[in-house]
Amino acid sequence: MASAAPPLAVPKVEEAAVQQPNNEVVSPADALYDRCGERSQGTVFFQRDLSNMQVAGTMAELTMLLQELCDRHLMKLMTLEGEPCWKLRSRSDADKLRRLTPDERLLYHHIDQAQTEGIWSKALRARTNVTQQVLTKCLKSLESKELVQSVMSVKFPNRKMYLLKHLQPSEDIAGGPWQSEGDFDAALIEAVSGAIAQYVENETCIKVPGNWNDYEQHDRTAVIAQKKAQVQGLRDIEEAPAVKPYLSMGDPTASKVVHKNSPQYPTAASVANWLNSKGILRGKSCREDDMEQLLEMMVLDGRLEKISGTSYRTVLTAVDTKVYNGFVDAPCGNCPVFDLCGDEGEISARTCVYFGQWLETQSEEI
Amino acid sequence: MSYNQRETPILAELCTFLVEDVYGELAARVYSILARHGRQTLAAVARASYLNGRQIKYGLVILLQQHLIFHSGGEPPVTYYEIDWQNSYAVVRFGKVAKLVEDRFGRKAANVMSNLLTLGHTRIADLKEAYFPPDTESDDDSDDGVVNGAGLKRKRAYEAHVNGKATKLNGVVNGVPAELDDVKPDPQSLANGDHATNGTSKAAKANGTAHATVIEEVEDNDEIASVDELYDIIRLLVERGWVRTVSDTQYLSPGDMHDMLQQRAIEEELGGAAMTGTKDKEKVHRKTQQLKRQIRDEWLIPPKFSRKRGDDGSNKRVKINGANYASAHKASSPEDELVVRVNPEKVSVAMRTEQLVQLVEQRLGPVTAYIYQTMLRMLEAHTPRCYEDFPEPPLATGEVVAEITMDPRFLVNARDIAKRLPRDFDVLEGLDPNAVTAVTRKGHVHRSNILSTAIDPSNLSMDEKTQLVDKHIRLLAEDPLHFATWHSRAGFSQWHIEFEEIAKQLIQSEVENTISARKGSLGVKLIRALRKKGKLDERATCNAMMMSAADIRGIVNDLTVQGFVQTQEIPKVERREAKHSLHLVWYDRQRAREKLLHDTYKGMVRIVQRIAFEREKAQPLLSKAERSDVVGNEAKWLSKSELDALQKWKEVQEKLLLQLFREDDLVATLRDFHGPLVSV
Ligand code: SF4
């Protein structure tokens, strides 16, 4: 990308502009400007591009025209890989710029230099040496003229970063695709991680119906039990056939999800590709780093688990019933007065209402 | 000091309750003095209590017999007594131990184990007599006068245990609560079958220490038919490390043991000179640790058992028993004089197996879990303990002590497991159907993931079975918890298990479970974020969790209050202004672990107290129901409402006990599977 010209050249240009307001209507300079305006917005012009337009007859004339356009703020001088180059400004912007005070213009220039990264107000002051009052005043005025905008940095939440109005703040200050206005976009994150969870499950798991392996049972005890059940016309739970000794029966409707045999485990890169190809993010694209952040968060959430350094898979639980542990499943493990509860006295195991409810017995009245 | 031997007031309270429940009031009173005052002499105990000397001695004898206390066998005449916290706590596990043994070695072995638990340490001959009472009363134990009178000097007491146990306890039994009648090692009451098991299970039930069902369902074929069979069972239990021989050194508290061995280390390493400088210290420390390991490992060396009983065997036991051998049964086996007890460390190993299997069942399903169970139990035989209490200290230079090559006994391969699976075990279940066809090469998988050709697992060849088992092991290995780790390709792939890492994960998952129950998934997410990233300020926390600060402040606060996360304020300017400070949050696994362990002990105390309270309420009814005219004729003498109330009490007790045992599982995870953690 183009970087702005060294600041040294700037004051000179600006002074010139202030001293010699130029109001020619149709001049070679304007012609050059118009020719450049025919190209797509944001194009960067090198010297040979401009001379190829054949507006100026000689190189010296071209230099003069460019100087004039720069003085009128219609063009901006930059360097790209050491070569000078120019970019257009809209006439309205140039108009606004012409009306700026020198201080404002100085600040504008520094802000312009920072491009999408933005510049912190303190850094701005340090570079320009203006007083705090001037700084505040000028920034306000620039903002009200819609030339610059301020954004809260995501990296340093108490820093106000300034950048030009028409620029999209970089991810460093505005956060990745998961953030909007400096905060995490919970709804977006929820939607995207839901889609990703499904994707990863498809990649790493397989749904197996209960009757996937429908072999003949010839377990004698099972046969006997089944016969018995037929005879009695009812099925005795106690004597339910121990067909597959460690499992429930192969019910075709009860399918279960198991880990795939040697799958291609998704990585941040592959999931990012998938997501971008689906266009779920509407215009924004997701880089590998962004995806890693999201996937790591999903690991914390217990939706994914990490298999090796970079690959992920779905967390499966084979049983549905959620038991925690012996402590928290008992009344005391979740008791609001746990720390106050003593061996005797008003709050104790004898008087405990929670035990009373849990056991359905009477506790001691206090 | 052993991690298990760390004591807190709440643990002391819990253990005192347990001891009172199982061993009665007298023992509990002596015990509670030691629990409250720490290491004491007999005289000091006497001063601190209202008991008379004789009572205290009786109390101490019971406690010693059960290994609930240590004594310093140091310079006579002063002997110090000190509580063995690990063994005291282990009282709550009696029922569980019997169940674990039953699962592995069958009911007969479980029966022997329960008896050993009830008796404390026991001379094999006494155990034999309990099962096979001699025709005439042996008078070999009649010197209890000496024992009770002066038996508390260390040496004497120890000999007394070895030699005169039965009589001694008989003496003690008088004057202690009826509860102890059940555990009275009167040979008759320990005999085979109903009588013995009733005795055990009743004691256990009443005391809240057993899965009552385990012991109650005694069938006829559970009877140990011959002395040889009994000996074989004992030998099996000793060889597998469930039972170990008792020696003097096991009575030393970790502190005393340390002093003794450090002294020995100084003598051997420095020729007795005083330690000077860090180098000497390190040397001595290394040696001390080595000696500790050595002593401990000696306890576990199984003594030789004679093949034929009644042989005039070699004098293996002389080492243990000294001169007492002379007075032993003449017509008995040489190992009769061995004194054995349950090895608590092995119990932890088995509990670890059970919990890991449960976890795998939750994550990967029952079939993989069963395979894992087979795998773990194969390893159990060679795993004496969960973690090394006395690790070799790292070299000062920072390099790690050379990796010891993996002992082949800690390796398992799929074929060994496949061979042990029951014939009709459905090894196919829980696998990707594609994995199955890849092995069997029969048919293909339909789009709906149904096999085109069904496969009967009982018709698989051993080779196919092995490969399928290997698929399950791969599932175990790929799991983020790494339940198995690939070791080498020798033969079929060999696997080992990194218990250390898994144990840490178990602890972590219990902390997460606790938080999840209390605070839901948000709390768990925070803990995981902190665990992964270390100390975070608010912004970094938000970034990891991808949430706004407002959404996480509440949970940070809650978990701080509960002691699961720590916070720290680092001022950035000279005046400590909150606004200008850095606020860091972090999670310290070891702290969370200790907090949870402590709270769990407290939860257990409350349950024990509630049981006592519920029993107290039911007491009038219970006394009536236990009257001899009522027993067996409940329907006749008790009203409908009384019967209902009785039933209710039983249910309440069962529910509370079940919860108590589950809390104990948690204690095992938090405390027994891993040494202190170093984190953050
Ligand atoms: S006994 Fe009751 S009041 Fe006390 S901690 Fe337990 S639940 Fe809370």
Side-chain angles (χ1 to χ4, degrees):
Chain A
M1 276 305 281
S3 66
L8 270 179
V10 178
K12 199 175 70 200
V13 177
E14 278 166 354
E15 276 155 35
V18 173
Q19 282 154 17
Q20 308 166 346
N22 205 329
N23 287 321
E24 281 163 90
V25 183
V26 181
S27 66
D30 284 300
L32 182 64
Y33 180 86
D34 291 340
R35 285 296 292 274
C36 291
E38 287 163 16
R39 307 286 178 92
S40 56
Q41 203 195 340
T43 312
V44 175
F45 302 94
F46 290 96
Q47 195 169 333
R48 65 181 172 278
D49 301 324
L50 296 166
S51 57
N52 284 349
M53 289 175 184
Q54 297 181 354
V55 177
T58 64
M59 202 48 92
E61 193 187 339
L62 182 63
T63 314
M64 226 182 63
L65 292 178
L66 287 171
Q67 181 65 47
E68 185 188 330
L69 286 170
C70 283
D71 290 349
R72 286 161 63 194
H73 300 288
L74 284 165
M75 269 204 177
K76 179 170 137 191
L77 174 66
M78 306 188 305
T79 51
L80 189 64
E81 286 164 11
E83 251 190 280
C85 58
W86 290 264
K87 217 174 170 175
L88 291 193
R89 278 204 182 101
S90 69
R91 286 192 187 271
S92 63
D93 273 359
D95 216 40
K96 284 181 203 158
L97 279 175
R98 275 198 294 278
R99 291 172 218 273
L100 294 183
T101 66
D103 279 337
E104 284 171 352
R105 193 167 295 124
L106 179 66
L107 291 172
Y108 179 88
H109 176 77
H110 280 278
I111 293 170
D112 186 11
Q113 268 190 310
Q115 286 291 301
T116 60
E117 297 298 316
I119 181 165
W120 183 26
S121 48
K122 274 219 175 114
L124 204 52
R125 213 187 121 203
R127 285 198 202 159
T128 54
N129 266 326
V130 297
T131 64
Q132 182 66 45
Q133 286 94 324
V134 174
L135 183 79
T136 318
K137 201 179 118 229
C138 294
L139 286 175
K140 260 212 184 109
S141 127
L142 285 172
E143 271 188 276
S144 67
K145 286 175 184 148
E146 303 213 313
L147 283 166
V148 304
Q149 58 177 328
S150 65
V151 174
M152 287 313 226
S153 163
V154 174
K155 223 190 235 160
F156 307 99
N158 41 11
R159 291 189 182 178
K160 227 181 190 180
M161 310 297 285
Y162 288 89
L163 70 164
L164 296 192
K165 182 72 186 179
H166 63 274
L167 294 176
Q168 187 81 49
S170 80
E171 301 196 346
D172 268 359
I173 60 171
W178 319 125
Q179 277 157 309
S180 67
E181 288 161 20
D183 229 333
F184 285 100
D185 185 340
L188 176 84
I189 291 171
E190 184 48 45
V192 174
S193 49
I196 291 176
Q198 192 56 53
Y199 169 72
V200 174
E201 184 173 323
N202 293 342
E203 294 293 300
T204 62
C205 298
I206 179 167
K207 199 169 184 183
V208 182
N211 60 344
W212 69 282
N213 181 20
D214 224 0
Y215 64 92
E216 283 288 311
Q217 321 286 0
H218 46 224
D219 191 323
R220 269 189 48 233
T221 53
V223 176
I224 295 167
Q226 262 161 6
K227 282 239 175 76
K228 201 167 158 190
Q230 277 167 5
V231 172
Q232 293 175 343
L234 58 106
R235 214 171 136 119
D236 190 337
I237 296 176
E238 300 282 18
E239 297 178 13
V243 191
K244 296 178 179 176
Y246 308 99
L247 289 170
S248 58
M249 284 280 282
D251 174 0
T253 53
S255 60
K256 62 173 185 285
V257 181
V258 300
H259 294 291
K260 246 187 208 171
N261 185 39
S262 49
Q264 278 292 339
Y265 286 120
T267 62
S270 75
V271 182
N273 274 342
W274 171 81
L275 187 70
N276 290 334
S277 74
K278 290 281 168 195
I280 293 177
L281 282 183
R282 269 196 244 101
K284 284 195 205 171
S285 86
C286 172
R287 297 174 310 164
E288 200 179 322
D289 290 359
D290 301 324
M291 186 48 73
E292 194 178 334
Q293 185 189 18
L294 186 72
L295 294 177
E296 286 298 316
M297 189 279 290
M298 289 174 72
V299 171
L300 299 182
D301 254 343
R303 299 172 84 166
L304 298 182
E305 53 195 17
K306 223 170 175 173
I307 289 300
S308 63
T310 54
S311 47
Y312 300 83
R313 76 170 184 196
T314 305
V315 177
L316 292 185
T317 41
V319 286
D320 315 321
T321 47
K322 182 64 192 161
V323 285
Y324 297 102
N325 60 42
F327 175 55
V328 271
D329 288 342
C332 302
N334 227 330
C335 171
V337 288
F338 185 75
D339 290 331
L340 302 174
C341 185
D343 292 335
E344 45 203 23
E346 275 181 36
I347 303 178
S348 71
R350 300 174 71 91
T351 65
C352 175
V353 283
Y354 309 104
F355 263 125
Q357 284 165 5
W358 191 57
L359 299 168
E360 296 171 330
T361 60
Q362 286 294 313
S363 293
E364 202 167 72
E365 301 284 336
I366 320 160
Chain B
M1 186 183 279
S2 159
Y3 194 55
N4 285 315
Q5 184 61 19
R6 286 216 261 171
E7 144 260 357
T8 58
I10 195 74
L11 175 60
E13 191 181 351
L14 175 61
C15 289
T16 310
F17 278 127
L18 293 173
V19 168
E20 179 169 357
D21 252 5
V22 179
Y23 302 109
E25 199 189 328
L26 178 66
R29 277 171 74 177
V30 176
Y31 186 90
S32 77
I33 292 162
L34 290 171
R36 274 180 285 131
H37 298 280
R39 191 179 162 92
Q40 297 283 302
T41 61
L42 180 59
V45 174
R47 273 197 302 279
S49 75
Y50 296 108
L51 301 169
N52 65 37
R54 197 172 164 78
Q55 289 170 316
I56 294 173
K57 285 174 190 171
Y58 282 156
L60 288 173
V61 167
I62 298 174
L63 297 176
L64 283 170
Q65 167 92 21
Q66 302 293 341
H67 290 258
L68 301 174
I69 52 177
F70 296 114
H71 64 74
S72 67
E75 275 76 69
V78 192
T79 301
Y80 286 95
Y81 297 91
E82 187 178 339
I83 287 180
D84 179 340
W85 295 108
Q86 189 189 0
N87 266 338
S88 309
Y89 175 86
V91 168
V92 82
R93 290 190 180 153
F94 280 8
K96 219 172 267 173
V97 174
K99 176 85 174 77
L100 293 169
V101 170
E102 182 184 319
D103 287 351
R104 286 160 180 74
F105 309 108
R107 287 195 180 153
K108 291 177 191 174
N111 185 286
V112 173
M113 201 69 171
S114 315
N115 281 328
L116 270 178
L117 286 167
T118 318
L119 293 173
H121 65 224
T122 311
R123 204 168 55 132
I124 290 183
D126 290 329
L127 201 59
K128 184 182 75 181
E129 261 173 45
Y131 280 94
F132 304 100
D135 298 336
T136 49
E137 196 65 44
S138 151
D139 62 354
D140 142 68
D141 291 333
S142 58
D143 57 348
D144 67 314
V146 184
V147 169
N148 285 331
L152 290 158
K153 297 282 181 289
R154 181 191 60 80
K155 198 69 184 165
R156 280 288 182 67
Y158 178 62
E159 286 169 9
H161 292 311
V162 172
N163 224 7
K165 176 198 52 60
T167 327
K168 200 155 45 62
L169 265 190
N170 279 341
V172 172
V173 165
N174 304 325
V176 288
E179 270 163 302
L180 264 181
D181 284 343
D182 293 323
V183 298
K184 175 169 78 171
D186 170 358
Q188 309 299 332
S189 73
L190 275 172
N192 258 329
D194 283 348
H195 193 37
T197 41
N198 274 348
T200 318
S201 68
K202 190 174 162 202
K205 243 189 153 170
N207 297 321
T209 46
H211 295 290
T213 47
V214 176
I215 314 166
E216 263 175 349
E217 310 162 8
V218 175
E219 292 162 21
D220 282 355
N221 62 3
D222 284 341
E223 284 207 11
I224 295 170
S226 65
V227 178
D228 276 2
E229 191 177 7
L230 174 67
Y231 278 58
D232 283 340
I233 289 173
I234 297 173
R235 191 175 69 201
L236 178 68
L237 290 173
V238 172
E239 280 170 0
R240 292 299 177 82
W242 283 82
V243 167
R244 69 185 183 202
T245 46
V246 176
S247 71
D248 280 10
T249 43
Q250 288 176 34
Y251 271 114
L252 291 180
S253 68
D256 288 333
M257 177 80 91
H258 178 81
D259 293 347
M260 182 181 97
L261 294 181
Q262 179 161 335
Q263 198 50 47
R264 197 187 294 171
I266 291 174
E267 271 157 31
E268 286 180 22
E269 290 287 314
L270 309 174
M275 275 192 286
T276 49
T278 45
K279 228 181 176 167
D280 282 358
K281 253 194 196 142
E282 202 200 301
K283 241 185 184 166
V284 168
H285 179 52
R286 187 176 300 278
K287 183 75 184 173
T288 312
Q289 295 286 79
Q290 188 210 321
L291 288 171
K292 282 182 185 173
R293 286 197 299 271
Q294 189 185 324
I295 287 226
R296 180 201 57 196
D297 293 344
E298 275 167 13
W299 294 341
L300 290 179
I301 297 174
K304 276 219 183 65
F305 279 78
S306 52
R307 287 263 50 148
K308 267 206 210 145
R309 318 294 163 215
D311 268 11
D312 195 11
S314 59
N315 292 344
K316 275 283 172 269
R317 67 239 157 253
V318 169
K319 190 174 76 191
I320 292 146
N321 233 13
N324 291 316
Y325 174 53
S327 66
H329 301 245
K330 291 290 181 293
S332 62
S333 327
E335 53 266 25
D336 275 3
E337 291 305 321
L338 283 178
V339 180
V340 293
R341 62 178 280 221
V342 173
N343 176 15
E345 288 183 325
K346 192 72 178 191
V347 175
S348 304
V349 173
M351 286 178 79
R352 181 176 69 184
T353 297
E354 302 301 307
Q355 295 200 19
L356 286 176
V357 169
Q358 252 179 34
L359 190 63
V360 169
E361 180 161 351
Q362 269 172 33
R363 298 179 61 89
L364 299 168
V367 173
T368 313
Y370 187 84
I371 286 169
Y372 198 42
Q373 185 183 61
T374 313
M375 202 167 169
L376 289 172
R377 287 198 184 164
M378 283 165 66
L379 294 175
E380 253 179 34
H382 314 293
T383 313
R385 64 194 65 83
C386 289
Y387 64 94
E388 180 54 76
D389 246 336
F390 315 112
E392 183 85 354
L395 294 174
T397 45
E399 51 190 293
V400 196
V401 186
E403 187 92 9
I404 315 148
T405 45
M406 179 71 64
D407 186 330
R409 289 180 309 174
F410 298 128
L411 298 175
V412 207
N413 66 47
R415 182 170 294 273
D416 294 343
I417 297 172
K419 276 191 235 155
R420 278 161 211 252
L421 294 176
R423 229 183 76 77
D424 55 350
F425 180 78
D426 188 351
V427 71
L428 303 164
E429 203 58 54
L431 290 176
D432 178 347
N434 297 297
V436 172
T437 50
V439 170
T440 60
R441 302 181 195 287
K442 278 187 213 116
H444 62 277
V445 182
H446 287 304
R447 274 184 62 79
S448 52
N449 294 332
I450 293 180
L451 292 184
S452 64
T453 323
I455 300 162
D456 185 336
S458 49
N459 292 339
L460 292 168
S461 72
M462 189 43 86
D463 253 2
E464 289 169 326
K465 250 193 189 171
T466 304
Q467 288 181 51
L468 289 165
V469 167
D470 199 61
K471 295 274 181 211
H472 282 283
I473 301 179
R474 276 172 208 281
L475 284 178
L476 290 166
E478 266 176 26
D479 192 280
L481 269 79
H482 301 302
F483 291 112
T485 307
W486 191 82
H487 178 263
S488 68
R489 184 163 297 292
F492 217 82
S493 285
Q494 294 202 297
W495 303 86
H496 69 107
I497 295 174
E498 292 184 335
F499 286 111
E500 286 272 299
E501 286 307 309
I502 304 176
K504 282 190 223 167
Q505 292 289 342
L506 281 178
I507 293 171
Q508 176 66 17
S509 85
E510 289 304 352
V511 171
E512 287 179 6
N513 269 339
T514 308
I515 293 172
S516 166
R518 289 180 182 172
K519 291 285 152 200
S521 53
L522 184 58
V524 177
K525 190 173 175 183
L526 174 68
I527 290 289
R528 289 185 181 155
L530 295 175
R531 163 141 185 257
K532 195 172 113 205
K533 307 252 178 162
K535 288 190 184 187
L536 297 181
D537 65 2
E538 191 172 67
R539 207 188 66 83
T541 318
C542 291
N543 266 356
M545 296 172 70
M546 297 182 73
M547 297 172 75
S548 68
D551 291 339
I552 60 172
R553 263 175 218 150
I555 194 77
V556 169
N557 264 343
D558 287 354
L559 291 187
T560 311
V561 170
Q562 291 188 2
F564 285 116
V565 303
Q566 274 70 46
T567 55
Q568 183 180 25
E569 184 182 332
I570 300 176
K572 284 199 293 197
V573 292
E574 226 166 284
R575 286 169 300 131
R576 282 180 54 116
E577 283 180 72
K579 216 171 62 186
H580 292 291
S581 301
L582 210 53
H583 292 269
L584 296 179
V585 193
W586 79 95
Y587 164 66
D588 180 333
R589 247 188 320 174
Q590 178 64 15
R591 270 206 223 182
R593 171 196 192 184
E594 282 179 13
K595 167 83 175 128
L596 184 55
L597 179 60
H598 181 270
D599 284 357
T600 306
Y601 284 148
K602 196 168 164 192
M604 292 174 81
V605 167
R606 298 289 172 254
I607 287 190
V608 173
Q609 286 173 331
R610 186 71 189 197
I611 295 176
F613 172 64
E614 296 286 349
R615 185 187 296 128
E616 186 184 310
K617 284 193 298 179
Q619 196 53 57
L621 189 57
L622 286 174
S623 319
K624 188 171 171 189
E626 276 160 17
R627 251 168 38 201
S628 58
D629 54 333
V630 179
V631 172
N633 297 309
E634 283 86 355
K636 187 170 159 200
W637 294 109
L638 299 178
S639 71
K640 172 90 176 61
S641 66
E642 280 174 325
L643 286 173
D644 287 350
L646 211 53
Q647 184 58 28
K648 175 75 187 165
W649 147 246
K650 280 189 189 136
E651 285 166 18
V652 163
Q653 177 178 241
E654 206 147 297
K655 186 166 181 180
L656 287 167
L657 284 180
L658 190 71
Q659 203 62 37
L660 187 70
F661 300 147
R662 287 190 58 213
E663 298 210 20
D664 169 47
D665 285 339
L666 180 58
V667 168
T669 306
L670 294 171
R671 188 193 67 181
D672 298 338
F673 300 164
H674 201 287
L677 290 173
V678 196
S679 70
V680 181

